[in-house]
Amino acid sequence: MPARLRLDTALNNLTTVFRGMTAHPDEHNCECHWGSAEDLAQLKTPDAVLDPDLLHRTWQATDWTYKASVLRRILPQFATALTTGLFEPLFGMAEAGRTFHQAEWQQWPVEQAAAVREFLHAWWAHTLTEPDPVVPAYQVLVLAAEASATLGPWLRTWEAQNHPTADEHLVEAVTNWEYDLRGDQLPWSTWHDEVDMCAELTAWLLRHAPARLRAHGAPEELLHQIRLLGLTGPERWDEDLGAGGVA
């Protein structure tokens, strides 16, 4: 199935699976900081279209008592808004990924969890095929990793997408990530095991990035930065090391 059709199908399936969902009857939030009683009533009204501001305030709020019910209520509209670039979270897409994680979507009923999982995979696969996606590939990866508490499946998909567009996204990602990774820091704030995620991402880049970046014509300096990730201690920061030994 073409990537765009797969994503459209996944979005339509979210609408079907989560039709009629509402926030929990006892859900509440602070009128001073979140919104009015009228706003809350909309979350308890099934399928009412939320204006972008209300949708944004709802998914960003972290103090819901019944987080799963709130996410299920907004999910079809939220997913579409994410894929169309409606939201630009202040702290990157990790923030949106945590909205999924906090709602514990992987513990939902089978049909619901499967719909969310397919949406995340379909969006990721589509992003890797798009020359100019509305959300950069490295940010979609962050959202998916934070939502699922794992990097492996998303990196394996990237590895399998062996074509110039996916390679171009890899160049952009390495450019944004290499400095943090050289300091043994994950390039985004995570609620999961930062040490393991950082080690997994670094090891994956060392295995798969050099050949793909070289074939894509990436600058030699960027290839040099990847090689430095394979070193330890002060050598990682020795910018005078020659680039001739790029792996």
Side-chain angles (χ1 to χ4, degrees):
M1 180 185 297
R4 179 70 247 184
L5 177 59
R6 181 184 178 188
L7 176 57
D8 289 342
T9 300
L11 290 169
N12 289 335
N13 192 45
L14 289 178
T15 298
T16 299
V17 170
F18 294 98
R19 181 174 291 123
M21 297 290 176
T22 66
H24 193 281
D26 296 331
E27 188 62 87
H28 64 280
N29 212 314
C30 174
E31 291 192 20
C32 297
H33 298 95
W34 175 77
S36 67
E38 289 77 13
D39 289 339
L40 188 59
Q42 288 193 61
L43 298 185
K44 297 179 182 181
T45 302
D47 305 323
V49 177
L50 309 180
D51 68 64
D53 177 66
L54 176 56
L55 180 62
H56 190 266
R57 283 185 280 120
T58 300
W59 75 259
Q60 278 200 317
T62 60
D63 53 351
W64 297 111
T65 301
Y66 305 95
K67 294 180 175 63
S69 295
V70 169
L71 182 57
R72 283 192 285 257
R73 165 62 181 85
I74 68 172
L75 189 51
Q77 196 176 343
F78 181 40
T80 298
L82 286 171
T83 61
T84 55
L86 182 61
F87 299 130
E88 295 184 10
L90 181 62
F91 302 107
M93 294 304 267
E95 188 179 358
R98 290 184 201 115
T99 298
F100 287 87
H101 179 68
Q102 286 183 309
E104 299 181 329
W105 66 270
Q106 295 177 94
Q107 306 305 315
W108 293 357
V110 171
E111 184 183 28
Q112 295 178 7
V116 177
R117 184 177 299 107
E118 172 58 13
F119 159 65
L120 293 173
H121 280 279
W123 185 21
W124 178 227
H126 174 259
T127 299
L128 290 173
T129 67
E130 280 289 294
D132 188 25
V134 293
V135 180
Y138 68 93
Q139 286 284 8
V140 177
L141 174 71
V142 169
L143 183 149
E146 288 302 302
S148 61
T150 184
L151 263 174
W154 318 106
L155 294 178
R156 287 192 291 273
T157 296
W158 206 343
E159 185 178 340
Q161 296 265 6
N162 191 15
H163 53 76
T165 301
D167 292 347
E168 179 61 32
H169 294 321
L170 187 58
V171 171
E172 184 181 23
V174 172
T175 301
N176 280 273
W177 290 342
E178 59 86 12
Y179 186 84
D180 288 322
L181 291 175
R182 274 200 286 159
D184 289 320
Q185 293 182 328
L186 196 65
W188 64 89
S189 175
T190 183
W191 283 10
H192 309 303
D193 191 322
E194 180 176 0
V195 173
D196 282 356
M197 274 194 170
C198 184
E200 182 177 8
L201 182 58
T202 299
W204 185 82
L205 288 172
L206 284 169
R207 288 196 307 271
H208 300 289
R212 292 179 71 163
L213 267 58
R214 187 180 297 109
H216 192 72
E220 193 65 29
E221 175 60 23
L222 193 60
L223 290 163
H224 179 52
Q225 302 306 325
I226 292 291
R227 185 177 74 86
L228 291 176
L229 294 179
L231 304 178
T232 58
E235 287 186 327
R236 264 196 180 181
W237 298 97
D238 188 352
E239 299 291 347
D240 295 326
L241 283 173
V246 175

